[in-house]
Amino acid sequence: MPGAEFAPLPGFRLLPGFLDAAQQRELMQQVQAVLEQAPVYHATMPKSGQPMSVAMSNAGALGWYTDQDGGYRYIAQHPETAQPWPAIPPVALDVWRAVVPDAPAPEACLINHYRDTAKMGLHQDRDEADFSAPVVSISLGDEAMFRLGGTSRKAPTRSFRLSSGDVLVLGGEARLAFHGIDRVIAGTSRLVPGGGRINLTLRRVT
Ligand code: MD6
Ligand code: FE
């Protein structure tokens, strides 16, 4: 529909600067502790087996994973170490409780680590058994251009800049909105050791 107007679906919330600089540093340290126990890996796409440009790990009871044979799914152990995922960082749990107080506790915290030209194509978060709980994400480090659309891949989209400390909620009608990361703007933050951007995505799975 060329020229169609964009309006975010109800349930989309962007909370700029939700975490202050000190809270961002505290969360970054907690994420580093998780990554020491559960190192990042490059998951591969179903069918093609192409590795994703974003490096990933997880915290919580369940972790999001994909490989060529098994496709998109949640698993209870790290794919390489076979250890259970570490606990969700306390600052991330505090964010969840503050922004979605009525939702049950999150079961999964996906850690996306973007370096260099890593990006994430337009997708829906739909590997969970229950879509009633919102998805909450927290951005740390370099700025990124986040693209938001509607519940059809063809719906109009708009891009928003996400900065370190921003929190984003996809709930209600927006729970299944298409979204992705067009690009990360290198050198816009010094928070992430070695540079880049980290996004934590908290979800209810079962
Ligand atoms: C990212 N975020 O910001 C990718 N999904 O790196 C997501 O895929 C996402 O930010 C669901 C809800 C919020 C998100
Ligand atoms: Fe997503």
Side-chain angles (χ1 to χ4, degrees):
M1 218 194 291
E5 292 294 318
F6 176 86
L9 289 167
F12 168 79
R13 288 155 66 199
L14 174 56
L15 307 169
F18 189 85
L19 294 180
D20 67 24
Q23 292 168 319
Q24 292 171 41
R25 282 194 298 272
E26 187 180 10
L27 179 54
M28 187 64 237
Q29 284 174 3
Q30 294 174 357
V31 170
Q32 278 178 275
V34 168
L35 296 179
E36 281 164 24
Q37 298 299 310
V40 293
Y41 50 84
H42 284 270
T44 53
M45 303 293 285
K47 297 189 191 136
S48 71
Q50 279 276 108
M52 298 182 72
S53 61
V54 180
M56 297 180 168
S57 188
N58 288 274
L62 292 168
W64 187 85
Y65 185 63
T66 170
D67 62 13
Q68 190 164 18
D69 298 331
Y72 303 138
R73 63 195 187 275
Y74 283 91
I75 56 178
Q77 279 115 30
H78 191 283
E80 288 160 9
T81 69
Q83 295 299 303
W85 302 107
I88 297 179
V91 170
L93 281 179
D94 290 344
V95 169
W96 175 277
R97 284 192 286 257
V99 301
V100 292
D102 299 329
E107 296 166 295
C109 175
L110 173 64
I111 302 171
N112 288 144
H113 189 175
Y114 298 75
R115 279 212 152 101
D116 308 317
T117 57
K119 55 192 162 70
M120 188 174 296
L122 209 63
H123 68 275
Q124 290 172 299
D125 284 27
R126 57 175 313 148
D127 302 314
E128 301 73 37
D130 183 357
F131 300 138
S132 59
V135 182
V136 174
S137 90
I138 307 168
S139 292
L140 294 173
D142 282 341
E143 293 179 2
M145 299 310 293
F146 177 89
R147 185 163 294 281
L148 178 72
T151 51
S152 146
R153 189 174 277 283
K154 287 179 272 179
T157 64
R158 204 195 113 176
S159 74
F160 299 79
R161 186 184 294 248
L162 290 183
S163 300
S164 195
D166 291 0
V167 170
L168 194 153
V169 183
L170 294 184
E173 289 181 50
R175 173 65 181 75
L176 289 174
F178 277 89
H179 59 277
I181 295 291
D182 291 346
R183 65 192 186 94
V184 172
I185 307 162
T188 46
S189 163
R190 295 177 53 185
L191 184 70
V192 176
R197 170 175 185 263
I198 286 181
N199 179 264
L200 306 179
T201 310
L202 298 153
R203 307 190 184 92
R204 192 76 204 165
V205 177
T206 59

